[in-house]
Amino acid sequence: MSVSAPLIVRLLASSVSVAGRAGKIVRDVMSKGELGIVEKGKDDYQTEADRSAEKCIVASLSKQYPKASIIGEEDSSVEEGEVSPDWIVVDADKEVLGLECPASLKGVKEEDIVVWVDPLDGTSEYTQGFLEHVTVLIGISVNEKPVAGVIHQPFFKNQTGGEVKMGRTIWGLSEIGVGGFTPAPPPGSLIITTTRSHSNPVVEKALQVMNAAQVLRVGGAGYKVLQLLEGQASVYVFASPGCKKWDTCAPEAVLSAAGGKLTDILGNFYKYGASASKPNKTGVLAAVNDELHSYALNRIPQELKDTLANK
Ligand code: AMP
Ligand code: MG
Ligand code: MG
């Protein structure tokens, strides 16, 4: 690996490589067919794929970046020797390694970095066979702000429906841009994307007020942001406290690097420091640009914003 690349660029390049390996673990568990489902809470599941993919990512990144804080959804404590050597990835994606580093991130030190890892976003969909909705998310934050991120889709299908064996990996770096996919303009009419498996009356109320031409219901924060990036939807609305920091850190980093915006339902940015509370209590509102974000924010009644803020 080029040791001359700035730290953030190296960490992003390492994250791209390890996300691909984690994606292979996710596919392998599915093809073996023994998912090892554990219920963590109401409508909240974990499988063997979630556990193993997290071990792969946390062990690989902490080995190379020991002073960075790495926070994973499944809370893997990775003991030396516990993780198969086959899961330790120390390669770094060559294309990403060659990226320019934004001036504001050149002086970043390892101890300033918090990495939020969702080893498998869209677990409900994974267990129910909606495999395209599944993503591996690695979000990199500095000074509480998401600055770089990776969204890997292990079961990506190309436009003719053919499965792409290695999946695909999308990345974003603040001020520099995005890669791994072809960005597309937003649809001509208002298309909203939202949860498939975690709705409730407040979530539905926030959708009704949008006056949308269409509402898409898909799994995962990662996949919904991919829909925004690829012109399938223009706004993501989720008026519920169910998402956590590992769900939104990478999607926010990639979306904002592409010119979009992700906040809570009140229009405030989340903070991603190491001691940040994990739940995104005041929901998620993301859009492909500022104008559509403001439109959606203004349509949500104050009463609904208060309901979430006071939960
Ligand atoms: P969804 O859009 O429902 O797929 O949710 C996006 C992410 O937030 C997934 O990782 C979900 O597991 C998580 N999430 C959303 N709502 C809830 C909830 N009510 N309970 C647990 N996890 C949730
Ligand atoms: Mg998730
Ligand atoms: Mg997850």
Side-chain angles (χ1 to χ4, degrees):
M1 188 201 302
S2 156
V3 284
S4 58
L7 176 60
I8 286 292
V9 171
R10 271 191 291 134
L11 177 55
L12 180 62
S14 301
S15 301
V16 164
S17 293
V18 75
R21 181 69 188 88
K24 179 166 173 5
I25 293 173
V26 171
R27 284 191 299 273
D28 288 349
V29 171
M30 181 53 73
S31 50
K32 267 202 288 173
E34 279 166 40
L35 299 190
I37 299 171
V38 171
E39 192 169 358
K40 294 193 284 184
K42 188 181 175 294
D43 296 329
D44 198 5
Y45 300 95
Q46 184 200 63
T47 70
E48 186 59 38
D50 302 64
R51 294 186 286 275
S52 299
E54 177 158 313
K55 286 206 165 96
C56 160
I57 297 167
V58 173
S60 299
L61 294 182
S62 57
K63 185 180 164 98
Q64 298 169 87
Y65 307 96
K67 292 189 205 142
S69 301
I70 302 174
I71 304 173
E73 172 171 9
E74 314 308 341
D75 219 356
S76 292
S77 55
V78 197
E79 301 293 331
E80 190 74 40
E82 192 201 341
V83 176
S84 147
D86 179 41
W87 287 359
I88 307 285
V89 176
V90 293
D91 312 338
D93 182 85
K94 298 251 165 8
E95 181 197 342
V96 172
L97 261 191
L99 291 175
E100 200 188 319
C101 182
S104 60
L105 296 174
K106 276 188 179 144
V108 168
K109 295 190 290 296
E110 244 178 74
E111 43 275 56
D112 302 332
I113 295 174
V114 184
V115 183
W116 292 89
V117 178
D118 187 343
L120 196 168
D121 183 41
T123 302
S124 301
E125 285 68 28
Y126 181 70
T127 62
Q128 294 165 24
F130 295 92
L131 298 180
E132 263 201 286
H133 301 192
V134 168
T135 60
V136 175
L137 302 175
I138 305 179
I140 300 168
S141 69
V142 173
N143 290 332
E144 308 191 317
K145 211 175 150 292
V147 296
V150 175
I151 304 176
H152 171 77
Q153 235 183 331
F155 302 98
F156 173 64
K157 287 198 176 79
N158 62 26
Q159 280 183 338
T160 54
E163 201 153 299
V164 175
K165 271 220 165 66
M166 312 284 287
R168 69 165 176 173
T169 307
I170 281 92
W171 54 261
L173 176 58
S174 168
E175 296 173 47
I176 300 300
V178 290
F181 72 107
T182 310
S189 56
L190 181 64
I191 303 183
I192 308 266
T193 184
T194 193
T195 184
R196 208 196 122 255
S197 59
H198 296 103
S199 195
N200 63 42
V202 179
V203 168
E204 294 305 316
K205 176 74 194 162
L207 295 169
Q208 282 158 20
V209 297
M210 288 296 150
N211 201 18
Q214 203 184 344
V215 176
L216 308 176
R217 294 173 190 270
V218 301
Y223 187 62
K224 284 188 262 297
V225 165
L226 283 180
Q227 291 188 312
L228 300 185
L229 294 164
E230 298 198 295
Q232 290 155 16
S234 32
V235 183
Y236 166 12
V237 184
F238 185 52
S240 153
C243 281
K244 319 288 185 309
K245 294 288 170 311
W246 43 75
D247 292 306
T248 50
C249 186
E252 181 178 341
V254 179
L255 185 64
S256 59
K261 184 171 179 182
L262 186 151
T263 67
D264 70 0
I265 287 289
L266 314 173
N268 300 317
F269 288 107
Y270 282 113
K271 291 183 177 167
Y272 294 86
S275 55
S277 90
K278 285 162 186 159
N280 289 341
K281 272 184 59 185
T282 38
V284 178
L285 182 63
V288 291
N289 57 40
D290 283 2
E291 196 189 334
L292 279 162
H293 189 276
S294 298
Y295 167 86
L297 184 61
N298 290 332
R299 292 212 67 111
I300 298 176
Q302 191 57 43
E303 191 194 339
L304 196 156
K305 292 174 178 163
D306 293 343
T307 304
L308 279 190
N310 298 327
K311 260 200 173 158

